[in-house]
Amino acid sequence: MGNSTAYPVLRTTDAAEAYAWGERLRALLAHCEDEVGLGAELLTAADVRRTAEVLPGARFHYVDARTGPTGEYLRFELDPRTADDAALEPHLPLDVTVDVPTGSVEERFAAAVGRGRGTAAVDWRGRWPDDPETGSVGSPKYDGVQIVFHGDSAQWGAWAAHHTVFVHAGKFGDERRARELAEAVGGEVLGEPQLGW
């Protein structure tokens, strides 16, 4: 098991720019999984409604578990696309985590959460190409590209005013590969590696 090693390669306050960089890096994968992971912490009714429009069948959840009068766990049951602000606000914050077909809604999701007030992410998992010259081999379990909106931690830490794009390169890290990938799209590795997915 274990986690990947994630290298930050872009920080920007422009969600569209972060998404474009993520897409360019994703195109460099030798293999990209058929599904992409999307997740968001939704702090306002407007955030919930925008995200629900992009992910109409998604199930939203309470960020913190809530229980009813007899101790049973409560589920969020409203349709966020039709509920008004007064109905949604007592249920905030909410979160959503889904896997959807790669290439389906990522750009619209990025636009929705990029305007939001909570942290969110797009996770494209795959495998980087093998590089016989350096001995680097792709790792399908640990390679990929991640965009964290309103954050600078691959593990979704504290809120930030900027968005961060990460290259995940192996379980034990591969800084040379991360540097080469960043340079291929006009960037560089920005600081220390982090614990990834």
Side-chain angles (χ1 to χ4, degrees), residues 95-187:
D95 67 16
V96 62
T97 304
V98 296
D99 292 327
V100 298
T102 298
S104 61
V105 298
E106 298 99 300
E107 188 169 9
R108 290 187 307 124
F109 177 80
V113 299
R115 292 184 358 203
R117 295 186 47 207
T119 304
V122 173
D123 299 334
W124 286 293
R125 295 175 186 246
R127 181 180 53 79
W128 299 116
D130 294 340
D131 184 353
E133 288 183 24
T134 64
S136 290
V137 294
S139 174
K141 187 173 181 178
Y142 300 108
D143 289 351
V145 179
Q146 178 184 41
I147 308 167
V148 176
F149 297 92
H150 301 296
D152 56 11
S153 170
Q155 290 283 319
W156 290 41
W159 186 90
H162 58 265
H163 318 295
T164 307
V165 178
F166 292 92
V167 166
H168 291 253
K171 178 176 182 173
F172 301 107
D174 188 339
E175 188 169 347
R176 174 186 289 190
R177 179 180 294 262
R179 195 170 47 251
E180 288 172 355
L181 290 164
E183 289 170 359
V185 296

Side-chain angles (χ1 to χ4, degrees), residues 17-48:
E17 179 184 22
Y19 180 78
W21 271 61
E23 275 285 1
R24 291 199 323 257
L25 285 163
R26 179 177 75 96
L28 299 176
L29 288 165
H31 169 76
C32 185
E33 289 187 2
D34 293 338
E35 291 190 323
V36 57
L38 307 176
E41 297 172 341
L42 307 164
L43 306 182
T44 70
D47 293 347
V48 173

Side-chain angles (χ1 to χ4, degrees), residues 31-105:
H31 169 76
C32 185
E33 289 187 2
D34 293 338
E35 291 190 323
V36 57
L38 307 176
E41 297 172 341
L42 307 164
L43 306 182
T44 70
D47 293 347
V48 173
R49 210 172 345 280
R50 274 194 312 274
T51 306
E53 288 301 320
V54 175
L55 305 172
R59 183 120 183 99
F60 292 77
H61 304 277
Y62 293 116
V63 169
D64 298 313
R66 297 186 185 186
T67 56
T70 60
E72 76 280 10
Y73 285 101
L74 299 177
R75 296 174 60 159
F76 176 73
E77 300 290 350
L78 297 176
D79 181 344
R81 293 173 300 154
T82 59
D84 64 18
D85 288 1
L88 285 173
E89 285 171 358
H91 297 279
L92 298 173
L94 296 172
D95 67 16
V96 62
T97 304
V98 296
D99 292 327
V100 298
T102 298
S104 61
V105 298

